[in-house]
Amino acid sequence: MSSLKNVADMAGVSVATVSRVLNSDDVVKEDTKQKVLAAIKKLNYTPNRVAQRLRSTKTNSRIIGLLIPDIQNPFYVDVIRGIEDYAYAHNSVVIIGNFSQDEKKEKLYIDILKSESVDGFIVAPSNEKDVYIKALIEDGFPIVCIDRGMKDVDVDLVKVDNQQGVFNAVQHLIGLGHTRIGHVTGKPFLPTTHERMAGYEEAMKMYDLEIDPEIIVSSNSDYDSGAEKTAHLLELENPPTAIFTANNLITLGALDTINRRGLRIPEDIAIVGFDDVYWANSLNPPLTAVRQPGFEIGRRSCELLIQRINKPDRSVASIILKTELMIRKSCGS
Amino acid sequence: MSSLKNVADMAGVSVATVSRVLNSDDVVKEDTKQKVLAAIKKLNYTPNRVAQRLRSTKTNSRIIGLLIPDIQNPFYVDVIRGIEDYAYAHNSVVIIGNFSQDEKKEKLYIDILKSESVDGFIVAPSNEKDVYIKALIEDGFPIVCIDRGMKDVDVDLVKVDNQQGVFNAVQHLIGLGHTRIGHVTGKPFLPTTHERMAGYEEAMKMYDLEIDPEIIVSSNSDYDSGAEKTAHLLELENPPTAIFTANNLITLGALDTINRRGLRIPEDIAIVGFDDVYWANSLNPPLTAVRQPGFEIGRRSCELLIQRINKPDRSVASIILKTELMIRKSCGS
DNA sequence: TTGTCAAATGTAAACGATTACATTGGTAAT
DNA sequence: ATTACCAATGTAATCGTTTACATTTGACAA
């Protein structure tokens, strides 16, 4: 790989001049500029980003660190695509650290990304007082949180109106005549879990329906526990006629359980899930779900981050996006 | 962030000594070593990876470049997880370039990753004579291909026995009494498409069944074209009684079409797909599918790559993993 | 005492870029 | 002719490491 020096030698100028041409510093005379450009082309030169980064903290590294709790979750895949799309359009690269809900791994990735001099981080904190993220913020790194915010810390945030989304879903169920509606919640300590719970309660209260703790079960936010908790609901003496599942993995687990038992959807049991997936139409029956605009969340968070990188002291922003209830067939019609 | 110099000053030694302690060069006297370690701890020092990388091409950067055609495809998500898992266990980080089948984007990512001095690449080439990848190989970069190999170039490869996998699936269908079996293939120029086609033909021939070109339709390997081509098959005068779909996106599209038309699976139409997905059990009926061990493919490819990085001239290896037919309910029983 | 050797540590160049500052050469004003 | 100034380019320090080579120190033998 050729270096600045090689180009400079070939063009018969100094490295400074070559650098100036590259950074389109217009003090360079037109014909030297042409000589340099010719040399660059001939040598097939591309700047070494590692050296660029080492040189100055003033110049951006054009690298964005991304900390994702679970890359297997299709919601995050959408988010990643959105981030990557925006980053690509702004000449930046994304390094993904998938920490699989593992705090040790999260910490390691933070350290690595820091020492790679990333310009900033996009993070879905593993809980609202995540100490590592907090430290990062206090150290002054540009940070944008997605999906969930942080307690006691001001930080840019892009998320969805969870409460409203769940409210709509439960209201839809109620409109279809359901009165006994189960809820498989996510992990207890996640802010999203509380917000979604609030949406559920809001809808139930508004229509004067009983909120029966027996049919509100808390899961571990994953497939297996979604399957298990749904089984629990179905085995109750007085089971719900409809279930709201608080994320896509839980929903999938629930569907597995329902199918295994040969129950018909929606006749025997209706279901609405949080998180839409692009293959919701391929399910039988097609799944009614609360759509989070994952791609959009990704794009906006990346936009926010790049803004902050360029202007570290702009005031903190929160972007709350709307969900959309995708009505298909799993609740009846 | 503190630097080597800071540590050296605090410990009252030179930077070289600190560096030696860090790289566990055992010439350092025990008590100076302790002093240095204490200073490192006190300053919360971590080495700057950018500087480390710049310094020497001899030392590894511990960064692996990953070029993925489509991060939305769950198969690749599994592969990524496998790669990341192995890399993490070997102190390496993965930079993912998701080029979305876009050659321009692919090229850009290659350039960026090169200039980030990655140690090597794991790639699913966009076609078997992908010129950029070829150039990379000829430049002597450590490279491992996944899913598909390269024409006329020797390169490490981890893939699956596609022909065998499809053979098993089609044989299964035949065993269930199907004789008119449709095939929605992937993109024409992909090696996997040809291998899967060969498996189909092998099975049909072995059981003396007619290979009717009318029911072999070639898709664009994605959801929409899977849906569309399946519709085409179903509308034929003499439609197939079973369909083999050549990857998970095609399968999903096919299911969408089938459900939309109110056809029952497997009574009206049977289906087996290539690529299993973790939620195949949540489908109704649960999907029979050819399982590729994506995670394993990821792990093995990363292993191969790290081997090659450490020993650039070891001979070229091909790892062909077995598929597994996951028999569920979508073909009848 | 002096010389030799090995162990421990230090010095400084290098990696490839950016950039403040210095230098050069030319033009125009006095 | 001298001065001043500007435009164009060059020089060299710098970022944080690694590492070849140099230096220091102390022990031991002659």
Side-chain angles (χ1 to χ4, degrees):
Chain A
M1 299 221 52
S2 44
S3 71
L4 253 201
K5 180 102 186 28
N6 298 332
V7 175
D9 289 350
M10 167 163 273
V13 297
S14 74
V15 287
T17 301
V18 179
S19 176
R20 279 189 274 256
V21 170
L22 284 167
N23 299 299
S24 49
D25 188 336
D26 48 5
V27 305
V28 187
K29 218 179 16 177
E30 186 58 27
D31 59 339
T32 37
K33 186 169 171 179
Q34 289 310 325
K35 272 192 296 186
V36 170
L37 288 175
I40 287 176
K41 193 156 189 182
K42 193 160 205 170
L43 289 172
N44 196 16
Y45 166 82
T46 48
N48 180 320
R49 292 170 57 105
V50 175
Q52 285 182 319
R53 224 143 12 120
L54 178 58
R55 172 48 220 253
S56 61
T57 36
K58 293 164 225 161
T59 307
N60 293 340
S61 68
R62 321 242 70 160
I63 301 204
I64 290 169
L66 178 52
L67 292 165
I68 289 290
D70 177 14
I71 204 184
Q72 204 163 16
N73 185 327
F75 166 64
Y76 287 120
V77 173
D78 281 344
V79 173
I80 293 173
R81 287 174 49 239
I83 293 174
E84 205 247 339
D85 184 76
Y86 192 91
Y88 176 75
H90 291 74
N91 289 309
S92 295
V93 195
V94 177
I95 303 189
I96 302 175
N98 169 47
F99 60 91
S100 311
Q101 322 266 16
D102 172 346
E103 291 218 9
K104 235 173 76 189
K105 204 162 170 181
E106 181 186 7
K107 167 109 174 70
L108 179 91
Y109 269 122
I110 291 177
D111 283 344
I112 291 181
L113 291 174
K114 264 164 72 175
S115 87
E116 287 288 344
S117 334
V118 298
D119 288 338
F121 294 82
I122 297 177
V123 193
S126 60
N127 67 69
E128 38 180 356
K129 37 193 140 179
D130 192 314
V131 286
Y132 307 128
I133 308 293
K134 205 163 171 179
L136 229 40
I137 297 172
E138 281 158 3
D139 282 357
F141 283 94
I143 296 203
V144 176
C145 286
I146 48 176
D147 196 36
R148 343 155 169 175
M150 294 284 294
K151 198 148 189 156
D152 308 325
V153 194
D154 264 352
V155 60
D156 288 333
L157 171 64
V158 182
K159 56 174 247 185
V160 116
D161 189 338
N162 284 294
Q163 178 162 350
Q164 177 71 42
V166 178
F167 177 88
N168 291 344
V170 175
Q171 189 179 41
H172 175 68
L173 245 17
I174 295 171
L176 258 20
H178 292 281
T179 57
R180 194 161 168 76
I181 300 172
H183 181 170
V184 185
T185 80
K187 280 189 178 159
F189 54 83
L190 290 177
T192 46
T193 299
H194 300 137
E195 294 168 20
R196 290 175 197 176
M197 178 63 86
Y200 171 86
E201 288 175 348
E202 184 190 352
M204 296 298 272
K205 277 192 191 132
M206 174 168 289
Y207 291 91
D208 283 326
L209 296 175
E210 184 201 2
I211 296 177
D212 180 356
E214 199 185 46
I215 57 173
I216 300 179
V217 290
S218 121
S219 84
N220 200 25
S221 286
D222 61 16
Y223 189 102
D224 289 340
S225 94
E228 182 193 326
K229 298 303 180 174
T230 302
H232 172 76
L233 285 182
L234 296 176
E235 280 159 10
L236 289 174
E237 198 148 327
N238 182 11
T241 62
I243 298 181
F244 167 73
T245 45
N247 81 18
N248 55 21
L249 300 179
I250 298 172
T251 308
L252 258 11
L255 289 177
D256 187 1
T257 292
I258 293 170
N259 289 334
R260 259 180 222 283
R261 303 189 169 218
L263 299 174
R264 290 162 309 162
I265 303 174
E267 293 83 353
D268 299 324
I269 181 85
I271 182 166
V272 208
F274 208 91
D275 290 331
D276 198 22
V277 286
Y278 64 94
W279 31 268
N281 257 318
S282 306
L283 293 166
N284 182 16
L287 180 75
T288 295
V290 180
R291 177 175 179 276
Q292 289 199 68
F295 189 88
E296 185 67 13
I297 291 176
R299 279 189 61 88
R300 299 297 289 276
S301 61
C302 194
E303 184 184 351
L304 234 42
L305 183 65
I306 290 183
Q307 272 178 20
R308 173 154 311 274
I309 290 167
N310 295 328
K311 197 158 174 259
D313 52 355
R314 80 138 159 66
S315 59
V316 170
S318 262
I319 298 183
I320 316 277
L321 298 171
K322 283 269 168 278
T323 60
E324 184 182 0
L325 184 61
M326 308 298 290
I327 298 177
R328 300 198 184 92
K329 309 273 181 179
S330 65
C331 305
S333 51
Chain B
M1 300 221 50
S2 46
S3 72
L4 256 201
K5 180 104 186 26
N6 299 333
V7 176
D9 289 349
M10 167 164 275
V13 297
S14 75
V15 287
T17 300
V18 179
S19 176
R20 280 189 275 256
V21 169
L22 284 167
N23 299 300
S24 49
D25 189 336
D26 46 6
V27 305
V28 187
K29 221 183 7 180
E30 187 57 26
D31 60 337
T32 37
K33 186 169 171 179
Q34 291 309 327
K35 271 191 297 185
V36 170
L37 288 175
I40 287 176
K41 193 154 187 185
K42 192 158 205 171
L43 289 172
N44 196 15
Y45 167 81
T46 47
N48 180 320
R49 294 169 56 103
V50 176
Q52 286 182 318
R53 267 209 326 279
L54 177 59
R55 173 47 220 254
S56 60
T57 36
K58 293 164 226 163
T59 306
N60 293 339
S61 68
R62 321 241 71 159
I63 301 206
I64 290 169
L66 177 52
L67 292 165
I68 289 292
D70 177 14
I71 204 184
Q72 204 163 18
N73 185 327
F75 166 64
Y76 287 120
V77 172
D78 282 343
V79 173
I80 292 173
R81 285 175 48 241
I83 293 174
E84 206 246 339
D85 184 76
Y86 192 91
Y88 176 74
H90 290 74
N91 289 309
S92 296
V93 196
V94 177
I95 304 189
I96 302 175
N98 169 46
F99 60 90
S100 311
Q101 324 266 15
D102 173 346
E103 292 218 8
K104 232 171 77 190
K105 204 162 169 180
E106 183 186 5
K107 168 108 174 71
L108 178 89
Y109 268 122
I110 290 178
D111 284 344
I112 290 182
L113 291 175
K114 264 163 70 172
S115 86
E116 286 287 344
S117 333
V118 298
D119 288 337
F121 294 82
I122 297 177
V123 193
S126 61
N127 67 71
E128 39 180 355
K129 37 193 143 183
D130 192 313
V131 288
Y132 306 127
I133 309 291
K134 206 163 171 176
L136 228 39
I137 297 173
E138 281 158 2
D139 282 357
F141 282 94
I143 296 201
V144 175
C145 286
I146 48 177
D147 196 37
R148 340 152 171 178
M150 293 285 296
K151 199 151 190 153
D152 308 325
V153 194
D154 265 351
V155 61
D156 288 333
L157 172 63
V158 182
K159 56 173 250 187
V160 117
D161 188 339
N162 284 293
Q163 180 163 349
Q164 178 71 41
V166 178
F167 177 86
N168 292 343
V170 175
Q171 191 180 39
H172 175 68
L173 245 18
I174 295 171
L176 258 20
H178 292 281
T179 56
R180 194 161 169 76
I181 301 171
H183 181 170
V184 184
T185 81
K187 278 189 181 162
F189 54 82
L190 290 177
T192 45
T193 299
H194 300 135
E195 295 169 20
R196 291 174 194 175
M197 178 62 87
Y200 171 87
E201 288 175 347
E202 184 191 351
M204 295 299 272
K205 276 191 191 133
M206 172 167 290
Y207 292 90
D208 284 327
L209 296 175
E210 185 199 3
I211 296 177
D212 180 357
E214 199 186 45
I215 57 173
I216 299 179
V217 290
S218 121
S219 85
N220 201 25
S221 287
D222 61 16
Y223 187 103
D224 288 342
S225 94
E228 182 194 327
K229 298 303 178 173
T230 301
H232 173 76
L233 285 181
L234 296 175
E235 280 160 11
L236 288 175
E237 198 147 329
N238 182 10
T241 62
I243 298 181
F244 168 75
T245 44
N247 80 18
N248 56 19
L249 300 179
I250 298 171
T251 308
L252 258 11
L255 289 177
D256 187 3
T257 294
I258 293 170
N259 289 335
R260 259 180 222 283
R261 299 183 175 223
L263 298 174
R264 289 163 309 162
I265 302 174
E267 294 82 353
D268 300 325
I269 182 86
I271 182 165
V272 208
F274 208 90
D275 292 330
D276 197 22
V277 284
Y278 65 94
W279 30 268
N281 257 319
S282 305
L283 294 166
N284 182 15
L287 180 73
T288 294
V290 180
R291 178 177 177 276
Q292 291 200 68
F295 190 88
E296 185 66 14
I297 292 177
R299 279 190 62 88
R300 300 297 290 274
S301 61
C302 193
E303 184 185 351
L304 235 43
L305 183 65
I306 290 183
Q307 271 177 20
R308 173 155 311 276
I309 289 166
N310 295 328
K311 198 158 174 257
D313 50 357
R314 81 138 159 65
S315 59
V316 170
S318 261
I319 296 183
I320 316 277
L321 297 170
K322 284 271 168 277
T323 59
E324 184 181 0
L325 184 62
M326 308 298 290
I327 298 178
R328 299 196 184 92
K329 310 273 182 178
S330 66
C331 304
S333 48

